[in-house]
Amino acid sequence: MAKKVLTLFILCISILTNAWCQKPIENKAFQVGEDLSYDLYFNWQFIWVKVGNAYMSTKSTRYKNQDAIRTYLITKGNKRADRFFVMRDTLTSISTKNLVPLYFQKSAEEGKRYTVDKVWYDYVDGKTNTNLYFLDRHGNVRRNNHSTKNEVYDMISMLNRARSWDAKDLRPGQKIKFLMAEGKHVEEQTVIYRKKDIVKANDDKKYNCHKLSFVEYDERGKEHEIITFYITDDDNHLPVRLDMNLKFGSAKAYLVSAKNCKHPITSIVK
């Protein structure tokens, strides 16, 4: 459960990218020192139960003798959830100040499983080369390489880059495709822009938001909506709420607090 919820949580907030060109861009949406926190819920026998929290923060760092930014995402189940399923996940992404990904790692303790994903990025002759590493729950290591002329991102660097795009350019029904790297492979993902909406977060505030859907396709090409999510209609592009339709039930994530944002949060409904 935890791995699916975490993956969807991150995919849902990585949806504004609509062009491919692995070039440095101006970071317009967030700054070093930003901290975001979320409450995570699961529908347990028709009752919504809080199962944990998620935290995201951005710091300055150095990587291979250059200034960079390091973004952390930590998810942790509470004591109630631990009785059924232990969830302790830490994701780390390092990018240049201009949002070009350099390194990614996901360490996941989920139930009795412990896995590690790593991605190293290299840029040569106009191509994005990714070196992939995956440590499975049995201690076996799998390595892979992928090379493409298109952009490739991990879960966190995609989010950071996507937040600097303008959702106003999206139209209802528009499909957005992107490549995402994990330790085992690189694969294409699809998100569909729906409309504008007003939603309430767990900080007791209502926000003007953009509504989008992350979808998957079955063998016949039929579309299945996995999640509905909402990002603020302002320059911060903060993820406010996520509604997840999973094989084992439903899950939700609500924004609790957003500190040290780069811009005023003008999407709040007065």
Side-chain angles (χ1 to χ4, degrees), residues 175 215-226:
K175 293 183 178 181
V215 301
E216 292 182 349
Y217 297 90
D218 60 24
E219 296 178 352
R220 296 175 297 175
K222 184 178 180 180
E223 179 182 294
H224 297 275
E225 185 168 306
I226 305 301

Side-chain angles (χ1 to χ4, degrees), residues 18 29 64 73 133 143 175 264 270:
N18 56 2
K64 293 186 177 179
L73 174 63
Y133 168 102
R143 298 179 184 272
K175 293 183 178 181
K270 304 297 184 180

Side-chain angles (χ1 to χ4, degrees), residues 78-96:
N78 57 27
K79 292 182 179 179
R80 176 185 293 180
D82 282 351
R83 289 182 293 179
F84 303 98
F85 194 94
V86 175
M87 178 177 66
R88 302 288 187 274
D89 292 345
T90 301
L91 290 80
T92 304
S93 181
I94 300 177
S95 301
T96 68

